[in-house]
């Protein structure tokens, strides 16, 4: 049973480009969470999704960021018109049930904006 | 407003020593608390999950306790090894929420 798979592991984008980060949850998990870890800071919640639904996006910046978890395929975190301040490690986690169940994390995608 | 603090921020111990990592939180209305380790440049590995109704959980050389009334959790590591060197994070799910709220982390170095 593969764990949470994130790709790419490293992503370099120029300012103004789009970044697409993908996350495949563990088999049998239908709840996906995205977190961001800025340099020298802790992990901060961004968004919580179930299949085809955004449940909680209270941690997501209002502009340029969006997330989806389609019926088929991985969850996608999309950042449009990236800026240097978006450089961070983005982690995806999945769980079997809602947040009260154990969360398992992927290896993360390290985004560098140049 | 919830705050999760881990003290110390960094800790160095000689191999073989037993040690305790601390996690304190300001709002005791939580569903559960989870301990993770994060190796440099890597993802998070789940170590132990304690439900709010539980007092402790054990896995191998690790033991985590939870005292909601005092807003504290501890992670006890017995007979530390160099391979235990990592950053240890505690995270909780508040009542009514679904996401994890992370602490600031303790960077542990076990010296051979």
């Amino acid at each position: 049973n593969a764990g949470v798979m994130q790709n790419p592991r490293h992503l370099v984008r120029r300012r103004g480009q789009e970044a697409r980060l993908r996350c495949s949850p563990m088999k049998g998990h239908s709840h996906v969470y995205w977190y961001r870890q800025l340099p020298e800071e802790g992990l901060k919640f961004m968004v919580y999704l179930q299949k085809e639904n955004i449940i909680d996006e209270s941690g997501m910046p209002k502009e340029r960021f969006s997330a989806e978890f389609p019926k088929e395929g991985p969850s996608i975190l999309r950042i449009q018109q990236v800026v240097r301040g978006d450089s961070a490690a983005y982690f995806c986690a999945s769980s079997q049930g809602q947040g009260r169940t154990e969360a398992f994390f992927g290896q993360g995608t390290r985004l560098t904006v140049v | 407003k919830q705050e999760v603090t881990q003290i110390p921020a960094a800790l160095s111990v000689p191999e073989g020593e037993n040690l305790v990592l601390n996690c304190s939180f300001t709002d005791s209305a939580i569903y559960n608390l989870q301990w993770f380790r994060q190796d440099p440049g890597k993802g998070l590995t789940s170590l132990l999950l304690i439900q709010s109704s539980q007092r402790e959980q054990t896995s191998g050389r690790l033991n985590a306790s939870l005292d909601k009334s005092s807003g504290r959790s501890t992670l006890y590591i017995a007979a530390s090894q160099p391979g235990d060197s990592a950053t240890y994070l505690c995270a909780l799910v508040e009542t009514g929420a679904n996401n994890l709220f992370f602490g600031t982390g303790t960077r542990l170095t076990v010296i051979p």
Side-chain angles (χ1 to χ4, degrees), chain A residues 54-97:
Chain A
I54 297 174
I55 308 301
D56 180 357
E57 54 181 351
S58 58
M60 193 96 98
K62 294 288 185 288
E63 297 177 353
R64 302 187 297 107
F65 285 72
S66 63
E68 63 177 11
F69 189 14
K71 188 176 179 181
E72 302 290 338
S75 175
I76 306 285
L77 179 67
R78 183 180 175 206
I79 312 172
Q80 295 178 293
Q81 300 174 347
V82 296
V83 300
R84 288 234 171 97
D86 297 333
S87 296
Y90 292 82
F91 291 97
C92 170
S94 74
S95 64
Q96 256 184 338

Side-chain angles (χ1 to χ4, degrees), chain B residues 8-82:
Chain B
L11 179 65
S12 289
V13 300
E15 181 177 2
E17 195 162 293
N18 302 326
L19 60 103
V20 174
L21 305 180
N22 296 295
C23 172
S24 61
F25 46 96
T26 53
D27 188 339
S28 61
I30 66 172
Y31 279 133
N32 60 44
L33 186 143
Q34 197 167 350
W35 282 92
F36 296 89
R37 69 174 279 168
Q38 184 177 25
D39 294 278
K42 301 286 179 65
L44 280 71
T45 301
S46 177
L47 298 174
L48 290 164
L49 170 69
I50 312 177
Q51 300 294 347
S52 62
S53 58
Q54 297 175 320
R55 298 283 293 185
E56 65 178 333
Q57 284 285 342
T58 298
S59 176
R61 293 183 295 110
L62 306 179
N63 176 278
S65 69
L66 175 64
D67 184 346
K68 277 179 53 178
S69 61
S70 65
R72 292 189 61 191
S73 176
T74 61
L75 179 67
Y76 174 82
I77 303 176
S80 58
Q81 302 171 358

Side-chain angles (χ1 to χ4, degrees), chain A residues 9 33 35 37 40 42-45 48 55-56 58 91 93 98-108 110, chain B residues 31-32 34 36 38 40-44 46-49 51 89 93 97-104 107:
Chain A
R9 292 288 308 278
Y33 311 78
Y35 293 83
Q37 187 174 38
E40 302 304 320
L43 281 95
K44 297 286 194 283
F45 166 72
Y48 164 42
I55 308 301
D56 180 357
S58 58
F91 291 97
Q98 289 182 323
R100 305 160 217 181
T101 56
E102 190 171 6
F104 295 88
F105 279 74
Q107 293 291 299
R110 277 148 187 85
Chain B
Y31 279 133
N32 60 44
Q34 197 167 350
F36 296 89
Q38 184 177 25
K42 301 286 179 65
L44 280 71
S46 177
L47 298 174
L48 290 164
L49 170 69
Q51 300 294 347
L89 298 162
V93 178
N98 289 288
N99 58 284
L100 287 162
F101 193 104
F102 279 87
T104 47
R107 188 178 302 165

